[in-house]
């Protein structure tokens, strides 16, 4: 099939060229527009999904759609209205809520897109990542790096919902998606290995000691991702609280502090494609709006306030998920202490020399939320 044909109605010779170009699957750049835009034009739009709705709809999916052996994950993907029905939250990031009912299991598999979970509430599910048992509790960050085997188990009596982020749209655009189903998980209630799930995974016992301590003898060669696979909430919370107490540290004067989750062996981002941070804003904090290349997803863990995206304010509550497309100005207003988990594709932009950030002059008037 020939490509798009351009018209030159007043010039038969040029029109003939355009027809022949189309026949040969060629397009004249001088007739094309919208390619080299002065600044990024994101197709994804700024968006907020309400936690209240995500919880309700996840629960209904839990009632109606069983997760069986060999079945799929019970996942509701965030579909950005700007992306023509694609199940993607932004151009590069998949975001979703995953619901696992009492005594349910999501079967083992692996894929080249990297994934992470941030637990919004509840406790008790554990995830097996390449054989390591990772306990999941509210506020924890759990990594399932590219091509690692993973499966989820809920041995308890209560359901659990968490936030998933994957670099799937990016890996899909790079045409590098591979997937492999695993052997079926152990049937029935957890026994043997699983009931003996340690409070701390092997990765935490080796690399999560904190206080600048690493094993003197490294068993595994360093790889593209962090060897620490679970970042516990109590440690994230303590790091944030401490930043507000030190004169000169970022939270002390500005009432905003944030920590970055990093590979403890080298200080790099936890995975090559995704940057994870936890932000704490206190009331009275004002930050100038910023815009950045690349996209971000934010999950509201605690508190209340507003996030202003491209001049439009969205009130936010725990469990809300927010998409910030590339080059969209963003600022946050806390009405009470506010904890936001964020994941972005910044490491990719940085590695390619494409990362930019600038202060955005806020529009004089904030337009009302839709
Ligand atoms: O939990 O393994 O949201 O494979 C999307 C794909 C979660 C998972 C998602 C997945 C998973
Ligand atoms: Fe997966």
């Amino acid at each position: 099939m020939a490509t798009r044909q351009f018209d030159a109605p007043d010039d038969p010779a040029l029109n003939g060229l355009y027809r022949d170009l189309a026949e040969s699957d060629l397009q004249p750049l001088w007739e094309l527009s919208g390619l080299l835009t002065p600044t990024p034009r994101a197709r994804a739009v700024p968006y907020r999904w309400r936690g209240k709705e995500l919880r309700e709809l996840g629960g209904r999916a839990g009632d109606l759609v069983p997760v069986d052996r060999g079945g799929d994950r019970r996942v509701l993907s965030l579909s950005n209205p700007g992306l023509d029905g694609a199940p993607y939250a932004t151009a590069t990031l998949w975001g979703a809520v995953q619901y696992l009912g009492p005594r349910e299991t999501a079967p083992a598999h692996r894929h080249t897109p990297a994934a992470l979970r941030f637990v919004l509430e509840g406790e008790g599910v554990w995830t097996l990542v390449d054989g390591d048992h990772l306990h999941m509790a509210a506020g924890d960050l759990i990594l399932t790096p590219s091509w690692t085997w993973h499966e989820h188990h809920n041995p308890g009596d209560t359901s659990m919902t968490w936030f998933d982020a994957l670099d799937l749209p990016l890996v899909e655009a790079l045409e590098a998606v591979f997937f492999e189903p695993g052997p079926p998980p152990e049937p029935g209630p957890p026994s043997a290995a699983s009931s003996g799930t340690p409070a701390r995974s092997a990765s935490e016992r080796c690399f999560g000691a904190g206080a600048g301590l690493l094993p003197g003898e490294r068993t595994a060669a360093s790889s593209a991702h962090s060897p620490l696979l679970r970042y516990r909430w109590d440690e994230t919370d303590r790091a944030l609280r401490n930043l507000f107490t030190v004169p000169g540290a970022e939270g002390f004067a500005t009432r905003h502090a944030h920590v970055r989750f990093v590979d403890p062996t080298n200080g790099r981002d936890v995975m090559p494609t995704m940057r994870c941070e936890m932000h704490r804003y206190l009331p009275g904090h004002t930050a100038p709006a910023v815009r950045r290349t690349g996209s971000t997803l934010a999950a509201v863990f605690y508190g209340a306030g507003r996030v202003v995206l491209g001049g439009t304010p969205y009130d936010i509550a725990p469990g809300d998920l927010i998409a910030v497309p590339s080059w969209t100005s963003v600022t946050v207003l806390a009405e009470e202490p506010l904890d936001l988990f964020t994941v972005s594709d910044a490491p990719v932009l940085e590695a390619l020399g494409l990362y930019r950030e600038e202060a955005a002059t806020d529009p004089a008037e904030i337009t009302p939320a839709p």
Side-chain angles (χ1 to χ4, degrees):
M1 202 180 68
T3 186
R4 174 179 171 198
Q5 187 177 328
F6 293 82
D7 291 322
D10 302 329
D11 187 337
L14 190 59
N15 208 44
L17 171 66
Y18 283 180
R19 192 188 54 239
D20 294 347
L21 288 176
E23 281 301 317
S24 298
D25 296 298
L26 297 167
Q27 292 190 14
L29 173 60
W30 61 90
E31 291 284 359
L32 302 177
S33 60
L35 288 176
L36 294 165
T37 57
T39 54
R41 299 274 182 269
R43 285 197 305 129
V45 295
Y47 205 74
R48 173 211 46 209
W49 290 264
R50 289 192 188 275
K52 197 166 163 289
E53 285 169 20
L54 295 171
R55 274 188 293 271
E56 204 259 320
L57 295 168
R60 274 167 65 192
D63 293 339
L64 293 172
V65 186
V67 174
D68 287 316
R69 261 191 294 161
D72 219 340
R73 273 74 65 215
R74 193 192 293 105
V75 162
L76 303 178
S77 86
L78 307 179
S79 179
N80 190 295
L83 296 178
D84 301 323
Y88 297 153
T90 71
T92 56
L93 295 170
W94 165 283
V97 286
Q98 181 159 177
Y99 177 96
L100 201 59
R103 284 169 299 283
E104 283 187 328
T105 286
H109 63 278
R110 62 178 175 172
H111 34 73
T112 50
L116 61 86
R117 339 259 157 222
F118 181 78
V119 184
L120 290 164
E121 57 191 329
E123 175 161 21
V125 167
W126 53 274
T127 288
L128 195 64
V129 179
D130 272 350
D132 197 9
H133 287 80
L134 302 159
H135 181 81
M136 293 170 71
D140 289 356
L141 170 65
I142 310 285
L143 308 183
T144 42
S146 178
W147 209 235
T148 53
W149 290 104
H150 53 285
E151 59 188 81
H152 315 306
H153 295 257
N154 185 357
D157 296 324
T158 51
S159 66
M160 212 171 130
T161 308
W162 63 85
F163 167 58
D164 284 325
L166 283 82
D167 57 9
L168 173 58
L170 176 71
V171 179
E172 192 206 36
L174 296 170
E175 301 182 336
V177 174
F178 292 83
F179 176 92
E180 189 180 348
E186 304 276 279
S191 58
S194 50
S195 65
T197 300
R200 280 177 178 263
S201 60
S203 85
E204 289 166 82
R205 280 174 281 144
C206 285
F207 295 99
L213 293 169
L214 289 173
E217 197 98 26
R218 306 272 172 82
T219 44
S222 71
S223 63
H225 62 80
S226 169
L228 182 60
L229 299 176
R230 177 183 176 211
Y231 295 75
R232 299 163 60 98
W233 172 247
D234 54 356
E235 283 159 19
T236 307
D237 181 46
R238 184 171 55 225
L240 284 169
R241 269 189 281 122
N242 284 341
L243 284 177
F244 287 98
T245 64
V246 181
E250 66 170 318
F252 197 80
T254 63
R255 301 176 75 73
H256 165 226
H258 69 304
V259 288
R260 186 176 297 179
F261 298 92
V262 298
D263 180 333
T265 69
N266 57 25
R268 288 200 225 119
D269 287 292
V270 287
M271 298 189 285
T273 52
M274 290 188 278
R275 171 164 301 164
C276 298
E277 293 175 334
M278 194 79 204
H279 294 256
R280 177 165 295 167
Y281 301 87
L282 300 182
H285 141 85
T286 50
V290 237
R291 56 168 66 97
R292 307 179 175 87
T293 51
S295 58
T296 301
L297 295 181
V300 183
F301 181 54
Y302 181 84
R306 281 184 296 162
V307 53
V308 186
L309 302 173
T312 303
Y314 298 81
D315 57 283
I316 49 175
D320 287 2
L321 301 177
I322 295 144
V324 186
S326 185
W327 216 240
T328 302
S329 70
V330 53
T331 187
V332 174
L333 306 165
E335 276 148 26
E336 49 184 84
L338 182 63
D339 288 341
L340 284 186
F341 171 79
T342 62
V343 50
S344 78
D345 55 9
V348 179
L349 282 290
E350 284 182 354
L352 301 180
L354 297 172
Y355 188 79
R356 290 199 197 191
E357 182 179 302
E358 69 174 32
T361 32
D362 251 339
E365 269 188 305
I366 287 175
T367 50

